[in-house]
Amino acid sequence: MLKHILIWTVGTFIVLQAIQIDIPEPPKNIDPKNEIQAPKEIMPMLKISCYDCHSYQTKMPWYGHVFPMSLEVKSHVKEGRIAVNFQEWGHYDDAKKQKIYKGIAKTINFQMPMPMYLSIHEDAKLSKKERKQIKTWAQSHIVEEER
Ligand code: HEC
């Protein structure tokens, strides 16, 4: 009996692995000129704390391929790249850049990087000072509309 349960459980687990989310393939030629040019103290923070979801340089962890975690992880990468891809910066128009700078200033204190991600990626944690640096940088690019 126990053996059957075990076989069914393992079998179901294996079958469920077929459920996958596809992240679109990165383009073949990624032009480095399109990458965001942030100051040298900001750039490493973006790379360490944001690039997994906001660039083509995703370091996919092993559990990112295992159902059900894969659905969560891959959808974050997929949605994250759509919201902001720092390697596609050169293709964004001013309105999109403004939206992103505002988004960064708004989300850097709590929402970004995603708390769930931080619970696993110790190295991506940003100190209060670092968050402030990123916020100040983002704000310096926000153009207030004239009234
Ligand atoms: C684990 C994946 C993940 C990481 C790491 C991550 N993000 Fe995101 N980010 C997302 C996803 C998914 C979305 C789109 C869904 C949403 O808006 O909640 C998003 C959306 C955003 C947006 C648009 C939100 C808005 O309201 O305009 C900004 C700006 C952003 N992220 C900035 C950052 C910055 C800056 C970092 C690094 C400090 C970062 N993110 C790290 C997954 C991530």
Side-chain angles (χ1 to χ4, degrees):
M1 185 60 189
L2 205 62
K3 200 170 138 196
H4 282 160
I5 295 175
L6 191 70
I7 290 171
W8 271 103
T9 309
V10 173
T12 308
F13 183 75
I14 291 170
V15 170
L16 285 173
Q17 299 309 316
I19 306 174
Q20 287 292 354
I21 287 185
D22 286 323
I23 306 175
E25 277 292 313
K28 285 264 164 343
N29 302 310
I30 299 169
D31 189 344
K33 282 205 295 294
N34 285 323
E35 189 167 15
I36 190 165
Q37 304 288 324
K40 65 176 188 319
E41 67 277 15
I42 302 292
M43 211 57 200
M45 295 193 259
L46 298 183
K47 291 203 169 173
I48 293 169
S49 300
C50 320
Y51 265 43
D52 267 348
C53 303
H54 293 298
S55 84
Y56 294 121
Q57 295 168 17
T58 305
K59 289 194 274 312
M60 191 55 89
W62 62 266
Y63 53 83
H65 299 288
V66 181
F67 180 91
M69 292 83 84
S70 54
L71 298 192
E72 187 85 17
V73 172
K74 288 190 181 172
S75 74
H76 288 161
V77 174
K78 195 173 171 181
E79 302 298 318
R81 281 185 192 164
I82 293 171
V84 188
N85 185 334
F86 288 119
Q87 287 181 282
E88 289 288 354
W89 192 255
H91 288 134
Y92 295 161
D93 60 15
D94 287 347
K96 169 112 179 164
K97 289 179 187 167
Q98 283 297 304
K99 190 165 172 280
I100 295 171
Y101 281 131
K102 285 179 189 164
I104 294 175
K106 194 177 78 193
T107 57
I108 196 69
N109 280 332
F110 301 108
Q111 294 108 308
M112 289 293 149
M114 301 180 90
M116 205 184 74
Y117 172 82
L118 290 181
S119 66
I120 302 166
H121 294 81
E122 197 61 41
D123 58 321
K125 284 204 176 117
L126 296 164
S127 68
K128 217 169 154 186
K129 191 170 153 240
E130 290 172 320
R131 286 174 193 270
K132 195 145 187 246
Q133 266 181 299
I134 294 178
K135 189 169 181 171
T136 307
W137 160 71
Q139 281 172 331
S140 74
H141 288 279
I142 298 173
V143 184
E144 288 299 334
E145 283 127 51
E146 287 184 41
R147 293 170 197 236

